[in-house]
Amino acid sequence: MKAFGRLYQRLDSTTSTNLKVESLVQYFEETPPRDAAWGLNLLLGKRQRRRVTSRMLRDAFLRSFPDFPEWLLEESYGHVGDTGETVSLLLASRGICPNESQQSVSLSSWMEDRISKLSGKEDQQRAEKIFEWWSRLSVDECYLLNKLLTGGLRVGVSQKLVVRALSKWSGISEAELTHRLMGEFEPSEENFQRLLSEGGGKKVPSQPYPFFLASPLEENDWKSLDFKHLQLEYKWDGIRAQLIFREGEVFLWSRGEDLITNQFPEIVEAASNLPQGTVLDGELLCWNEDQPLPFSFLQKRLGRKKVSSKLLESHPCILLAYDCLEANGEDLREHSLKERREILEKLIQDYDEPRLKISSCLSANSKESLEILRNSSRDFGAEGLMLKKKESHYLSGRKRGHWWKYKVDPLTLDAVLIYAQAGSGRRANLFTDYTFALWKDSELVTFAKAYSGLDQKEIEELDRWIRQNTRERFGPVRSVEPFHVFEIAFEGISESNRHKSGIAVRFPRILRWRKDKVVSEADTLMNARKLLEAA
């Protein structure tokens, strides 16, 4: 725990990539495999079970200090923006945390023996146990413990950097380590040693390949495009997934490395007819006859332990495949896209499974004809085009110069700012979370929230205005005078009975601050409905 705490502080205190890699290498060199496995798990951001909610953490503090006013805790949280940090700072202010840690318990013991056993305890017992831990940890370790308890630990280092450090330390290539870390990684001494062993040990049937990602098509990319050697496809608005059929079992992984097999039983059934040792890369879509349904249909399939027969019928799904990564157990990633496409076409044709389709190839021989295809892609339920070099191998991550995405311009509406809320973490002292509204007759109706799109100077300017023009307070939320208009961009729009406006938008963000417009010139809900009808 002490070693991981020191690593966390070193990573958090520098922006230097080289220093971060050096710190990671030193950690892996000095840490026993069992602890290193847990450290790696946390560094990679693998999901941990939350043993304590933020509310429970606050309650534990208040139970430990009955004289401490709850309103003061809430006010402190409002300034800090993070419960774990707020509690650790308050503990230090009351002289609870010693300057030097008085414990020497390993990280693995904390995760496996201590934190995991909190779930079954009563509130008072849990509060007493947590307070006992706090009283033996330094303030930095208290903060770290609080984040581990709530499952909210975020370390200031990317997975790519962690893999680079592991590669530098172990001598195994970054590409190979990235592959070995795909899917589930159970933190144990055995798994950590297997990860770094020659050959990587026995392959797990469920293990996916690292996804190859496209880069946005930019102006300077046009000169390197040769249309005769490009494969063009639509860019679909679904869930990127790998379908794996090995050793008699089917696995379905999302790009975020979530195992979503149980949420798509019809895809599992279809894949069971494929040859053993098949891995397909494609897009999960809700599909009706020959066109995809809006993404909102697909959302209803997510997060369910079991999908009802009614939902299977009303929200039918397919896997639209566009690559074959493994056939008959052979890794095809070093083959060209042209060769992989031929294998995929034969596979889909031979098995003729309606729930496994193939993404169609398109044709363009100039920038002008490509623009026409892109601009019409929404008519086919797509969000743009994919451009792929036919000779490209299937690489790992985002490597420029091989695959590009050329998305249509986003949908936009001019909306009025009506609510604001402070951010979290380093932005806890600034209002950065905004709610926007459209006109419905003479009333402003909320339609979207957005958190990104303004630069730091604009955020600070808007923050000052919000503080001076607050109408009402609702906990952390402030109602403000309807004065500022912003152009809001989004990727899709759909019906929604959960929103007052009756619509929901996908990936909303601020495109620009329309200081040239007055509130009465903002868009109406009718304008939004027209976009919905067109979609």
Side-chain angles (χ1 to χ4, degrees), residues 145-183:
L145 172 63
N146 291 341
K147 302 303 283 184
L148 293 175
L149 288 170
T150 56
L153 181 67
R154 299 291 181 271
V155 185
V157 61
S158 67
Q159 178 172 331
K160 186 176 180 181
L161 229 56
V162 176
V163 170
R164 187 186 302 176
L166 267 179
S167 175
K168 186 175 180 180
W169 173 57
S170 67
I172 301 170
S173 72
E174 292 182 36
E176 178 61 24
L177 284 170
T178 301
H179 184 201
R180 293 183 188 184
L181 285 167
M182 284 293 291

CSV table of all heavy atoms in Angstrom, one decimal, residues 145-183:
chain,number,residue,atom,x,y,z
A,145,LEU,N,-7.1,5.3,0.2
A,145,LEU,CA,-8.0,4.3,0.7
A,145,LEU,C,-9.5,4.7,0.4
A,145,LEU,O,-10.3,3.8,0.0
A,145,LEU,CB,-7.8,4.1,2.2
A,145,LEU,CG,-8.9,3.3,3.0
A,145,LEU,CD1,-8.8,1.8,2.5
A,145,LEU,CD2,-8.7,3.3,4.5
A,146,ASN,N,-9.8,5.9,0.6
A,146,ASN,CA,-11.2,6.4,0.3
A,146,ASN,C,-11.6,6.1,-1.1
A,146,ASN,O,-12.7,5.7,-1.4
A,146,ASN,CB,-11.3,7.8,0.6
A,146,ASN,CG,-11.3,8.1,2.1
A,146,ASN,OD1,-11.4,7.2,2.9
A,146,ASN,ND2,-11.0,9.4,2.5
A,147,LYS,N,-10.6,6.3,-2.1
A,147,LYS,CA,-10.9,6.1,-3.5
A,147,LYS,C,-11.0,4.6,-3.8
A,147,LYS,O,-11.8,4.2,-4.6
A,147,LYS,CB,-9.8,6.7,-4.4
A,147,LYS,CG,-9.6,8.2,-4.2
A,147,LYS,CD,-10.9,9.0,-4.4
A,147,LYS,CE,-11.2,9.2,-5.9
A,147,LYS,NZ,-12.4,10.0,-6.1
A,148,LEU,N,-10.3,3.8,-3.1
A,148,LEU,CA,-10.4,2.3,-3.3
A,148,LEU,C,-11.7,1.8,-2.7
A,148,LEU,O,-12.3,0.9,-3.3
A,148,LEU,CB,-9.2,1.6,-2.6
A,148,LEU,CG,-7.8,1.9,-3.2
A,148,LEU,CD1,-6.7,1.2,-2.3
A,148,LEU,CD2,-7.7,1.3,-4.6
A,149,LEU,N,-12.1,2.4,-1.6
A,149,LEU,CA,-13.4,2.0,-1.0
A,149,LEU,C,-14.6,2.3,-1.9
A,149,LEU,O,-15.5,1.4,-2.0
A,149,LEU,CB,-13.6,2.7,0.4
A,149,LEU,CG,-12.7,2.2,1.5
A,149,LEU,CD1,-12.8,3.2,2.7
A,149,LEU,CD2,-13.0,0.8,2.0
A,150,THR,N,-14.5,3.4,-2.5
A,150,THR,CA,-15.7,3.8,-3.3
A,150,THR,C,-15.5,3.4,-4.8
A,150,THR,O,-16.4,3.6,-5.6
A,150,THR,CB,-15.8,5.4,-3.3
A,150,THR,OG1,-14.6,6.0,-3.7
A,150,THR,CG2,-16.2,5.8,-1.9
A,151,GLY,N,-14.4,2.8,-5.1
A,151,GLY,CA,-14.2,2.3,-6.5
A,151,GLY,C,-14.0,3.4,-7.5
A,151,GLY,O,-14.2,3.3,-8.7
A,152,GLY,N,-13.6,4.6,-7.0
A,152,GLY,CA,-13.4,5.8,-7.8
A,152,GLY,C,-12.0,6.2,-8.1
A,152,GLY,O,-11.8,7.3,-8.5
A,153,LEU,N,-11.0,5.3,-7.9
A,153,LEU,CA,-9.6,5.7,-8.1
A,153,LEU,C,-9.3,5.8,-9.6
A,153,LEU,O,-9.6,5.0,-10.4
A,153,LEU,CB,-8.7,4.6,-7.5
A,153,LEU,CG,-7.2,4.9,-7.6
A,153,LEU,CD1,-6.9,6.1,-6.8
A,153,LEU,CD2,-6.4,3.7,-7.3
A,154,ARG,N,-8.8,7.0,-9.9
A,154,ARG,CA,-8.4,7.3,-11.3
A,154,ARG,C,-6.9,7.7,-11.2
A,154,ARG,O,-6.6,8.7,-10.5
A,154,ARG,CB,-9.2,8.4,-11.9
A,154,ARG,CG,-10.7,8.0,-12.1
A,154,ARG,CD,-10.9,6.9,-13.1
A,154,ARG,NE,-12.3,6.6,-13.2
A,154,ARG,CZ,-13.0,5.7,-12.5
A,154,ARG,NH1,-12.3,5.0,-11.6
A,154,ARG,NH2,-14.2,5.4,-12.7
A,155,VAL,N,-6.0,7.0,-11.8
A,155,VAL,CA,-4.6,7.4,-11.8
A,155,VAL,C,-4.2,8.1,-13.0
A,155,VAL,O,-4.7,7.8,-14.1
A,155,VAL,CB,-3.8,6.1,-11.7
A,155,VAL,CG1,-2.3,6.4,-11.5
A,155,VAL,CG2,-4.2,5.2,-10.5
A,156,GLY,N,-3.4,9.2,-12.9
A,156,GLY,CA,-3.1,10.0,-14.0
A,156,GLY,C,-2.1,9.4,-14.9
A,156,GLY,O,-1.0,10.0,-15.2
A,157,VAL,N,-2.4,8.3,-15.5
A,157,VAL,CA,-1.6,7.6,-16.5
A,157,VAL,C,-2.4,6.8,-17.4
A,157,VAL,O,-3.4,6.2,-17.0
A,157,VAL,CB,-0.5,6.8,-15.7
A,157,VAL,CG1,-1.2,5.7,-14.9
A,157,VAL,CG2,0.5,6.2,-16.7
A,158,SER,N,-2.1,6.8,-18.7
A,158,SER,CA,-2.9,6.1,-19.7
A,158,SER,C,-2.4,4.6,-19.7
A,158,SER,O,-1.3,4.3,-19.3
A,158,SER,CB,-2.7,6.7,-21.1
A,158,SER,OG,-1.3,6.5,-21.5
A,159,GLN,N,-3.3,3.8,-20.3
A,159,GLN,CA,-3.0,2.4,-20.4
A,159,GLN,C,-1.8,2.2,-21.3
A,159,GLN,O,-0.9,1.3,-21.1
A,159,GLN,CB,-4.2,1.6,-21.0
A,159,GLN,CG,-3.9,0.1,-21.2
A,159,GLN,CD,-5.1,-0.7,-21.6
A,159,GLN,OE1,-6.2,-0.3,-21.2
A,159,GLN,NE2,-4.9,-1.7,-22.3
A,160,LYS,N,-1.7,3.1,-22.3
A,160,LYS,CA,-0.5,3.0,-23.2
A,160,LYS,C,0.8,3.2,-22.5
A,160,LYS,O,1.8,2.5,-22.8
A,160,LYS,CB,-0.7,4.0,-24.3
A,160,LYS,CG,0.3,4.0,-25.4
A,160,LYS,CD,0.0,5.0,-26.5
A,160,LYS,CE,1.0,5.0,-27.6
A,160,LYS,NZ,0.7,6.0,-28.7
A,161,LEU,N,0.8,4.1,-21.6
A,161,LEU,CA,2.0,4.4,-20.8
A,161,LEU,C,2.3,3.2,-19.8
A,161,LEU,O,3.5,2.9,-19.7
A,161,LEU,CB,1.8,5.7,-20.0
A,161,LEU,CG,3.0,6.7,-20.1
A,161,LEU,CD1,3.2,7.1,-21.6
A,161,LEU,CD2,2.6,8.0,-19.3
A,162,VAL,N,1.3,2.7,-19.2
A,162,VAL,CA,1.5,1.5,-18.4
A,162,VAL,C,2.1,0.3,-19.1
A,162,VAL,O,3.1,-0.3,-18.7
A,162,VAL,CB,0.2,1.1,-17.7
A,162,VAL,CG1,0.4,-0.2,-16.8
A,162,VAL,CG2,-0.3,2.2,-16.8
A,163,VAL,N,1.6,0.1,-20.3
A,163,VAL,CA,2.1,-1.0,-21.2
A,163,VAL,C,3.5,-0.7,-21.6
A,163,VAL,O,4.4,-1.6,-21.7
A,163,VAL,CB,1.2,-1.2,-22.4
A,163,VAL,CG1,1.8,-2.1,-23.4
A,163,VAL,CG2,-0.2,-1.7,-22.0
A,164,ARG,N,3.8,0.6,-21.9
A,164,ARG,CA,5.2,0.9,-22.3
A,164,ARG,C,6.2,0.6,-21.2
A,164,ARG,O,7.3,0.1,-21.4
A,164,ARG,CB,5.3,2.4,-22.7
A,164,ARG,CG,6.6,2.9,-23.2
A,164,ARG,CD,6.7,4.4,-23.4
A,164,ARG,NE,5.6,4.8,-24.3
A,164,ARG,CZ,5.5,6.1,-24.6
A,164,ARG,NH1,6.2,7.0,-24.1
A,164,ARG,NH2,4.5,6.5,-25.4
A,165,ALA,N,5.8,1.0,-19.9
A,165,ALA,CA,6.7,0.7,-18.8
A,165,ALA,C,6.8,-0.8,-18.6
A,165,ALA,O,7.9,-1.3,-18.3
A,165,ALA,CB,6.1,1.4,-17.5
A,166,LEU,N,5.7,-1.6,-18.7
A,166,LEU,CA,5.8,-3.0,-18.5
A,166,LEU,C,6.7,-3.6,-19.6
A,166,LEU,O,7.5,-4.5,-19.3
A,166,LEU,CB,4.4,-3.6,-18.7
A,166,LEU,CG,3.6,-3.9,-17.4
A,166,LEU,CD1,2.3,-4.5,-17.7
A,166,LEU,CD2,4.4,-4.8,-16.4
A,167,SER,N,6.6,-3.1,-20.8
A,167,SER,CA,7.5,-3.6,-21.9
A,167,SER,C,8.9,-3.3,-21.7
A,167,SER,O,9.8,-4.1,-21.9
A,167,SER,CB,7.0,-2.9,-23.2
A,167,SER,OG,7.9,-3.3,-24.3
A,168,LYS,N,9.2,-2.1,-21.2
A,168,LYS,CA,10.6,-1.7,-20.9
A,168,LYS,C,11.2,-2.5,-19.8
A,168,LYS,O,12.4,-2.9,-19.9
A,168,LYS,CB,10.6,-0.2,-20.5
A,168,LYS,CG,12.0,0.4,-20.3
A,168,LYS,CD,11.9,1.9,-20.0
A,168,LYS,CE,13.3,2.5,-19.8
A,168,LYS,NZ,13.3,3.9,-19.5
A,169,TRP,N,10.4,-2.9,-18.8
A,169,TRP,CA,10.9,-3.6,-17.7
A,169,TRP,C,11.0,-5.1,-18.1
A,169,TRP,O,12.0,-5.8,-17.7
A,169,TRP,CB,9.9,-3.5,-16.5
A,169,TRP,CG,10.2,-4.3,-15.3
A,169,TRP,CD1,11.4,-4.4,-14.6
A,169,TRP,CD2,9.3,-5.3,-14.8
A,169,TRP,NE1,11.3,-5.4,-13.6
A,169,TRP,CE2,10.0,-5.9,-13.7
A,169,TRP,CE3,8.0,-5.7,-15.0
A,169,TRP,CZ2,9.4,-6.9,-12.9
A,169,TRP,CZ3,7.4,-6.7,-14.2
A,169,TRP,CH2,8.1,-7.3,-13.2
A,170,SER,N,10.0,-5.7,-18.8
A,170,SER,CA,10.0,-7.1,-19.1
A,170,SER,C,10.7,-7.5,-20.3
A,170,SER,O,11.1,-8.7,-20.5
A,170,SER,CB,8.6,-7.6,-19.1
A,170,SER,OG,7.9,-7.0,-20.2
A,171,GLY,N,10.8,-6.6,-21.3
A,171,GLY,CA,11.4,-6.9,-22.6
A,171,GLY,C,10.4,-7.5,-23.6
A,171,GLY,O,10.8,-7.8,-24.7
A,172,ILE,N,9.2,-7.6,-23.2
A,172,ILE,CA,8.1,-8.1,-24.1
A,172,ILE,C,7.6,-6.9,-24.9
A,172,ILE,O,7.4,-5.8,-24.3
A,172,ILE,CB,7.0,-8.8,-23.3
A,172,ILE,CG1,7.5,-9.9,-22.5
A,172,ILE,CG2,5.8,-9.3,-24.2
A,172,ILE,CD1,6.5,-10.5,-21.5
A,173,SER,N,7.3,-7.1,-26.1
A,173,SER,CA,6.8,-6.0,-27.0
A,173,SER,C,5.5,-5.4,-26.5
A,173,SER,O,4.7,-6.1,-25.9
A,173,SER,CB,6.6,-6.5,-28.4
A,173,SER,OG,5.5,-7.3,-28.5
A,174,GLU,N,5.3,-4.1,-26.8
A,174,GLU,CA,4.1,-3.4,-26.3
A,174,GLU,C,2.9,-4.1,-27.0
A,174,GLU,O,1.8,-4.2,-26.3
A,174,GLU,CB,4.2,-2.0,-26.7
A,174,GLU,CG,5.2,-1.2,-25.9
A,174,GLU,CD,5.2,0.3,-26.2
A,174,GLU,OE1,4.2,0.9,-26.4
A,174,GLU,OE2,6.3,0.9,-26.2
A,175,ALA,N,3.0,-4.4,-28.3
A,175,ALA,CA,1.8,-5.0,-29.0
A,175,ALA,C,1.4,-6.3,-28.3
A,175,ALA,O,0.2,-6.6,-28.1
A,175,ALA,CB,2.2,-5.2,-30.4
A,176,GLU,N,2.4,-7.2,-28.0
A,176,GLU,CA,2.1,-8.4,-27.3
A,176,GLU,C,1.5,-8.3,-26.0
A,176,GLU,O,0.5,-8.9,-25.6
A,176,GLU,CB,3.3,-9.3,-27.2
A,176,GLU,CG,3.2,-10.6,-26.6
A,176,GLU,CD,2.2,-11.6,-27.3
A,176,GLU,OE1,2.0,-11.4,-28.5
A,176,GLU,OE2,1.6,-12.5,-26.6
A,177,LEU,N,2.0,-7.3,-25.2
A,177,LEU,CA,1.4,-7.1,-23.8
A,177,LEU,C,0.0,-6.5,-23.9
A,177,LEU,O,-0.9,-6.9,-23.1
A,177,LEU,CB,2.3,-6.1,-23.1
A,177,LEU,CG,3.6,-6.7,-22.5
A,177,LEU,CD1,4.5,-5.5,-22.0
A,177,LEU,CD2,3.3,-7.7,-21.4
A,178,THR,N,-0.2,-5.6,-24.9
A,178,THR,CA,-1.6,-5.1,-25.1
A,178,THR,C,-2.6,-6.2,-25.4
A,178,THR,O,-3.7,-6.2,-24.8
A,178,THR,CB,-1.6,-4.1,-26.3
A,178,THR,OG1,-0.6,-3.0,-26.0
A,178,THR,CG2,-3.0,-3.5,-26.5
A,179,HIS,N,-2.1,-7.2,-26.2
A,179,HIS,CA,-3.0,-8.3,-26.5
A,179,HIS,C,-3.3,-9.2,-25.3
A,179,HIS,O,-4.4,-9.5,-25.0
A,179,HIS,CB,-2.4,-9.2,-27.6
A,179,HIS,CG,-3.3,-10.3,-28.1
A,179,HIS,ND1,-2.8,-11.4,-28.7
A,179,HIS,CD2,-4.6,-10.5,-27.9
A,179,HIS,CE1,-3.8,-12.2,-29.0
A,179,HIS,NE2,-4.9,-11.7,-28.5
A,180,ARG,N,-2.2,-9.4,-24.5
A,180,ARG,CA,-2.4,-10.3,-23.3
A,180,ARG,C,-3.2,-9.7,-22.3
A,180,ARG,O,-3.9,-10.4,-21.5
A,180,ARG,CB,-1.0,-10.6,-22.7
A,180,ARG,CG,-0.1,-11.4,-23.6
A,180,ARG,CD,1.2,-11.8,-22.9
A,180,ARG,NE,2.2,-12.4,-23.8
A,180,ARG,CZ,3.4,-12.9,-23.5
A,180,ARG,NH1,3.8,-12.7,-22.2
A,180,ARG,NH2,4.2,-13.4,-24.3
A,181,LEU,N,-3.3,-8.3,-22.3
A,181,LEU,CA,-4.1,-7.6,-21.2
A,181,LEU,C,-5.5,-7.4,-21.7
A,181,LEU,O,-6.3,-6.9,-20.9
A,181,LEU,CB,-3.4,-6.3,-20.9
A,181,LEU,CG,-2.2,-6.4,-20.1
A,181,LEU,CD1,-1.4,-5.0,-20.1
A,181,LEU,CD2,-2.5,-6.8,-18.6
A,182,MET,N,-5.9,-7.7,-22.9
A,182,MET,CA,-7.2,-7.6,-23.4
A,182,MET,C,-8.2,-8.5,-22.6
A,182,MET,O,-7.8,-9.6,-22.3
A,182,MET,CB,-7.4,-7.8,-24.9
A,182,MET,CG,-6.8,-6.7,-25.7
A,182,MET,SD,-7.8,-5.2,-25.6
A,182,MET,CE,-9.3,-5.7,-26.4
A,183,GLY,N,-9.4,-8.0,-22.4
A,183,GLY,CA,-10.4,-8.9,-21.7
A,183,GLY,C,-10.2,-8.8,-20.2
A,183,GLY,O,-9.8,-7.8,-19.6
